[in-house]
Amino acid sequence: MEYLYPSKEVAGYSQVVKAGKDLEFCGLGLLKLGANEVCNLKTDDEEAVLVILSGKCNVVVNGKEFNDLGERKDVFSGNPASVYIPIQSSFKVEEAQGFALEAAVVSAKAEKKFEPFVVRPEEVVCNHRGILNYQRDVRDIIVANGEGKVHRIVVGETISCPGQWSSYPSHKHDDYNPPYEAKMEEVYYFKIKPEDGFGIQVMYNDDLSLRKAYMLKDGDTVIIPEGYHPVAAAPGFQVYYLWVMAGDYGRELVPKDDPKLAWLNNVAPLLK
């Protein structure tokens, strides 16, 4: 099975990962609009989050307007503005700056319908995590703040500094084993700065029947149905990834660390 979906330059809306086909729960689409262009979309049986990667737009969800959203020039330049879109909804996205818009539409299979809402940049919860050469900045877009407002979807962003690892110590969430591990699929969408750089996605499981590594380029996508999945940024380049998670047993994030790397968590407090 291939987990890497290489970048493709497509104008308008393109579906990259389809829930119910590529994965059971999670999906990802990309939206690229020129000046003043408009795109009309539907969610059907998936709840979705429109994450503005760059540019500014107006969004209408089931007749409810959310205007002048987005204020960053790229994903490395601050927190995103995002819109939650319920199942069985129609929504319109209009570029609003007279330049260009790039956004991602992450989604998850859902049965419960909620109201649309906006997560503004100042509402994103930011944390700096890790020590030594596995440091990163994590932006929670819809995580704990989504309880009672969404069904399954969990969304955020991570930025790894040059030469640093993230999603490390390696963890997984592919086995329902409460309270020690949640079972949730995940999708990563990557951006690299500068764009001609690269990162590395490693994927493996305990018995190494899964043992893969991918060279990540700007605009690539990786699906994560199973296994540990650390990411490395090559020296000289920042690596960003948007992540969406969903499963059938709640939204609480309970990853299981690779037991062979657990000692890192024990020494980390001593090295801070």
Side-chain angles (χ1 to χ4, degrees):
M1 179 177 181
E2 281 299 309
Y3 301 91
L4 175 68
Y5 293 62
S7 174
K8 294 181 180 179
E9 283 296 325
V10 180
Y13 180 76
S14 60
Q15 189 75 45
V16 180
V17 178
K18 179 61 179 174
K21 179 183 177 182
D22 301 297
L23 290 172
E24 183 178 358
F25 292 103
C26 294
L28 167 73
L30 298 175
L31 179 62
K32 296 182 179 181
L33 298 180
N36 305 312
E37 288 185 341
V38 175
C39 182
N40 292 284
L41 297 166
K42 295 182 178 180
T43 57
D44 296 326
D45 61 350
E46 298 170 45
E47 58 184 350
V49 178
L50 176 80
V51 181
I52 301 172
L53 303 177
S54 62
K56 181 173 286 191
C57 64
N58 301 322
V59 181
V60 181
V61 183
N62 299 332
K64 188 172 184 178
E65 297 184 4
F66 304 98
N67 293 322
D68 294 322
L69 299 176
E71 56 187 44
R72 60 182 183 178
K73 64 178 182 179
D74 58 46
V75 297
F76 299 95
S77 302
N79 295 338
S82 304
V83 182
Y84 173 77
I85 304 159
I87 61 171
Q88 306 300 330
S89 295
S90 298
F91 65 103
K92 179 176 73 173
V93 183
E94 178 185 16
E95 194 283 324
Q97 202 171 26
F99 181 57
L101 172 76
E102 186 174 1
V105 181
V106 291
S107 61
K109 289 284 187 180
E111 292 82 48
K112 299 177 182 179
K113 189 170 185 177
F114 296 86
E115 291 297 314
F117 63 89
V118 170
V119 180
R120 300 190 181 278
E122 62 271 19
E123 297 174 313
V124 174
V125 178
C126 301
N127 290 286
H128 184 79
R129 296 178 184 169
I131 59 170
L132 300 176
N133 61 341
Y134 55 100
Q135 298 186 56
R136 65 277 196 189
D137 292 308
V138 180
R139 305 165 178 164
D140 290 351
I141 299 172
I142 297 181
V143 185
N145 60 327
E147 286 302 308
K149 300 172 69 177
V150 308
H151 186 186
R152 289 193 177 95
I153 199 164
V154 180
V155 184
E157 299 178 327
T158 296
I159 294 182
S160 294
C161 298
Q164 298 278 333
W165 287 80
S166 58
S167 294
Y168 194 88
S170 305
H171 67 259
K172 71 181 186 75
H173 35 77
D174 59 13
D175 185 30
Y176 182 61
N177 184 27
Y180 307 106
E181 182 179 358
K183 185 176 183 180
M184 304 179 82
E185 300 172 340
E186 192 164 17
V187 177
Y188 285 171
Y189 172 69
F190 292 93
K191 288 286 193 179
I192 313 292
K193 184 180 181 180
E195 290 184 3
D196 58 354
F198 68 94
I200 300 292
Q201 173 78 71
V202 178
M203 303 180 72
Y204 66 97
N205 56 17
D206 288 311
D207 65 7
L208 297 184
S209 58
L210 170 62
R211 185 179 179 183
K212 291 180 178 287
Y214 295 107
M215 180 183 185
L216 302 168
K217 298 295 289 182
D218 187 74
D220 284 351
T221 299
V222 170
I223 61 171
I224 306 169
E226 61 175 322
Y228 304 102
H229 43 275
V231 174
F237 303 97
Q238 287 181 284
V239 171
Y240 157 99
Y241 49 101
L242 171 67
W243 40 270
V244 56
M245 303 173 67
D248 207 18
Y249 301 98
R251 300 181 61 257
E252 185 178 3
L253 303 184
V254 188
K256 177 190 174 185
D257 287 342
D258 183 344
K260 296 182 289 296
L261 303 177
W263 63 273
L264 286 165
N265 291 322
N266 296 327
V267 301
L270 303 176
L271 299 176
K272 288 185 177 180

